[in-house]
Amino acid sequence: MAGEPPSQNQPMILSLEQIKERLRSPKKKAAIDQAIKHQKRLRFHSETTLGKYYGTGDYALTEFLDWVKSATEMPEDKFSTFMYMMRWPVKTVKIVDKIYEDLAKVFDGQNPVYQFDFTSTEFLEDYMNYLTDIQFSNRWRSEGVMAMKLSINSILIVDYPQEQEGERPEPYSWLMDICNAIDYDEDEEELEMLIFRRDEKTAVVIDEESYRVLYYENDPDKAYIKETIPHDFGYCPAKFFWTDSISDRQKDIKLSPITTSLGDLDWLLYFMLAKQHLDTYAGYPIYSAFERDCDFEYEGERGYARCDRGFLKDMSGHYLLQGDKIATCPVCSQKRLRGPGTYYEVPKPGPENDNADMRNPISITTIDKDSLEYNVSEYQRLLKEIKENVVGYAHEPGNDQAKNVPQIMSYYEERTSVLRRIKRNFEAIMEWEAYTLAKGRYGDDFISCFIDLGTDFYLYESQYLLDLYHTARTAKADASTLDALQNQYLHARYRNSPDQLQKEIIITHIDPLRHITSDEAVVLHEKNLIGYHDLLMKLNLSTFVKKFERENAPLTKFGTALPFAERIARISQIIKSYVTRPTAQESFIPAAQPGTGRPAPRPRPA
């Protein structure tokens, strides 16, 4: 249940001998090793690093290159060139960065809820100030998203500072990368015991009763308990950062948003590098011509030299050197290809091939257009598949697509569904942290907590949503679709002005013709489809709202103690009382022109 403490079974406290045994043979060694390898593969495509030996380690790089070599059966010379194309950060990092920017919108919920219950409002006020001081929400927006991206298997630990400075304990939390874990025990989703490395000589054992500092110098037989610090949480103050696992059989390996796309990301990186490799020569043609006889021969002060296929040989048939390079023929070298491209000579027809070669004396070979287009199209297909799998959409709809309202609404639902899946993991760990911090600071004076990051998110800019709303209204979309689009627009436009947002929402409720323009309302009245009072209220709603606020109170302050439906009814009743049928001279709508049914033009003022 949300906000409730972890299950409290019989405490599992290891003796020193049991700890030594766990140091020698950790029960979770295989799971920890798999989790580390998993994170290295994630980081290979996600981490901005300037060298292959930093951050990601050799494992992911070696696995990728071995896969490329075996899957493509690439010749050694081509594979060597392919490896030279590897640059850091690898090319998929930029794509994955954009994906995580979209996933970080999980913290842009329109209606988040943070609820904490204490025995006294004094404790609540103090705790809210404490959460502000430690930047509780902002830290999860930054460090939490980074952990989701690079360290999905991390463990969150709550600890106390060595010395207490204020009147109350000041517990704090930190994320530990799984590579520092030695062993642990768990019961379903809760950790019962954790052993981790603090440095090369020290480890820490956390259980349901205390923190124990262990000195062991990487030799389990020499291990001894250096310090024991009891705590009053009643459970092990450590928890896996992420809840979702790869499968029921591998609960220790956490499911990153891009885990199921790692294979596609490998393929994408391969195609990006292959295309880059192709670009190095695709723009340059290959020229070929028959071998040309050259009778260049030199004999003088510098010795004897003759031409042999463009290069010089001496009397003994050895190539001559010019500096550190083979000397070229001064006649043939002037006839070689100048500028970009590649030049080859092919044997000319002769008695040895029965004069059978019928090719053109000179030919130009270019890269096959289909090969070029295939690399581009396959790259685009993989990119689309990855984005649809991870984020829920292939690309941000542009203005040309925005007119397809059902499609845009489908994009919104898909993206929202993905973010709701992500937010459940963040809510679980944030709620556990908030509960544990409060328990450590206030003890039994703290009762419970509840955190909900919201169910609707700011996915599009307000102007885009407004354009989409007008398009949907012109296309005569149904009222529920128009309501949803208008609500999204208002929340996006006034996301930083909650009072103005609340006022605009109230106005949509008192507007008798919510999705009808003023011009459309006049036409409807002429056709006797709406009444005169509804028309006047529509045409003058903003004026009437200002009068209401002058004579009563701001819309957001009026009747706040009443249920929302009753508030709207009272406000509407008062505003409707402002609507009176005007005389002909002060009519809001000019009299119709005879025989036309259309309003006469208003007279210009003298």
Side-chain angles (χ1 to χ4, degrees), residues 257-318:
I258 67 169
T259 294
T260 57
S261 295
L262 283 174
D264 286 337
L265 283 166
D266 286 343
W267 268 112
L268 182 64
L269 179 58
Y270 165 74
F271 273 99
M272 295 172 82
L273 294 173
K275 181 184 179 302
Q276 198 171 37
H277 184 191
L278 188 63
D279 289 343
T280 61
Y281 61 85
Y284 307 121
I286 301 173
Y287 301 87
S288 61
F290 291 134
E291 294 174 340
R292 293 171 292 179
D293 292 329
C294 181
D295 57 0
F296 173 80
E297 194 172 12
Y298 171 84
E299 187 171 7
E301 296 179 358
R302 291 184 292 175
Y304 174 82
R306 63 180 175 85
C307 175
D308 185 352
R309 296 190 178 185
F311 297 94
L312 298 181
K313 285 186 175 181
D314 61 15
M315 187 70 72
S316 302
H318 299 142

Side-chain angles (χ1 to χ4, degrees), residues 205-225:
V205 181
I206 305 178
D207 53 38
E208 300 174 19
E209 290 186 350
S210 64
Y211 306 89
R212 284 182 283 179
V213 181
L214 198 70
Y215 194 83
Y216 76 114
E217 294 186 351
N218 285 326
D219 184 351
D221 293 328
K222 295 181 180 180
Y224 66 91
I225 296 174

Side-chain angles (χ1 to χ4, degrees), residues 203-462:
V204 176
V205 181
I206 305 178
D207 53 38
E208 300 174 19
E209 290 186 350
S210 64
Y211 306 89
R212 284 182 283 179
V213 181
L214 198 70
Y215 194 83
Y216 76 114
E217 294 186 351
N218 285 326
D219 184 351
D221 293 328
K222 295 181 180 180
Y224 66 91
I225 296 174
K226 188 176 181 180
E227 184 179 11
T228 299
I229 306 171
H231 63 72
D232 297 323
F233 293 113
Y235 53 91
C236 178
K239 181 179 175 62
F240 274 111
F241 157 66
W242 208 248
T243 303
D244 292 345
S245 301
I246 287 180
S247 66
D248 290 338
R249 292 185 302 169
Q250 293 181 294
K251 287 186 174 294
D252 301 271
I253 315 300
K254 302 306 177 181
L255 183 67
S256 160
I258 67 169
T259 294
T260 57
S261 295
L262 283 174
D264 286 337
L265 283 166
D266 286 343
W267 268 112
L268 182 64
L269 179 58
Y270 165 74
F271 273 99
M272 295 172 82
L273 294 173
K275 181 184 179 302
Q276 198 171 37
H277 184 191
L278 188 63
D279 289 343
T280 61
Y281 61 85
Y284 307 121
I286 301 173
Y287 301 87
S288 61
F290 291 134
E291 294 174 340
R292 293 171 292 179
D293 292 329
C294 181
D295 57 0
F296 173 80
E297 194 172 12
Y298 171 84
E299 187 171 7
E301 296 179 358
R302 291 184 292 175
Y304 174 82
R306 63 180 175 85
C307 175
D308 185 352
R309 296 190 178 185
F311 297 94
L312 298 181
K313 285 186 175 181
D314 61 15
M315 187 70 72
S316 302
H318 299 142
Y319 285 106
L320 296 177
L321 296 179
Q322 187 174 6
D324 59 349
K325 297 180 180 180
I326 299 175
T328 59
C329 172
V331 176
C332 293
S333 62
Q334 299 301 316
K335 298 178 182 179
R336 294 292 179 184
L337 176 68
R338 298 295 182 185
T342 305
Y343 177 83
Y344 289 101
E345 286 188 341
V346 297
K348 61 184 177 181
E352 65 275 9
N353 56 19
D354 297 326
N355 298 304
D357 199 330
M358 303 300 291
R359 77 182 71 189
N360 292 328
I362 299 177
S363 62
I364 301 175
T365 304
T366 57
I367 300 299
D368 179 41
K369 181 180 178 182
D370 291 340
S371 298
L372 295 171
E373 291 179 347
Y374 173 76
N375 277 274
V376 175
S377 62
E378 184 63 9
Y379 160 76
Q380 293 173 341
R381 184 193 69 81
L382 285 167
L383 183 60
K384 179 176 182 291
E385 185 174 323
I386 290 167
K387 286 189 172 182
E388 286 180 344
N389 181 50
V390 181
V391 186
Y393 75 108
H395 49 77
E396 197 73 64
N399 289 332
D400 56 332
Q401 297 171 286
K403 313 318 172 192
N404 188 343
V405 177
Q407 185 181 41
I408 303 305
M409 296 303 292
S410 175
Y411 284 158
Y412 182 84
E413 289 302 323
E414 289 174 2
R415 295 183 65 180
T416 300
S417 176
V418 169
L419 291 180
R420 286 173 181 167
R421 200 163 57 239
I422 298 293
K423 88 182 187 80
R424 288 197 298 268
N425 289 271
F426 277 111
E427 286 169 350
I429 191 64
M430 291 173 69
E431 200 170 89
W432 180 89
E433 181 194 24
Y435 185 98
T436 304
L437 292 176
K439 194 72 176 174
R441 185 171 172 84
Y442 304 98
D444 293 338
D445 287 318
F446 170 70
I447 301 173
S448 65
C449 67
F450 173 77
I451 293 177
D452 189 326
L453 296 177
T455 54
D456 295 306
F457 306 94
Y458 298 105
L459 301 182
Y460 301 116
E461 295 297 325
S462 60

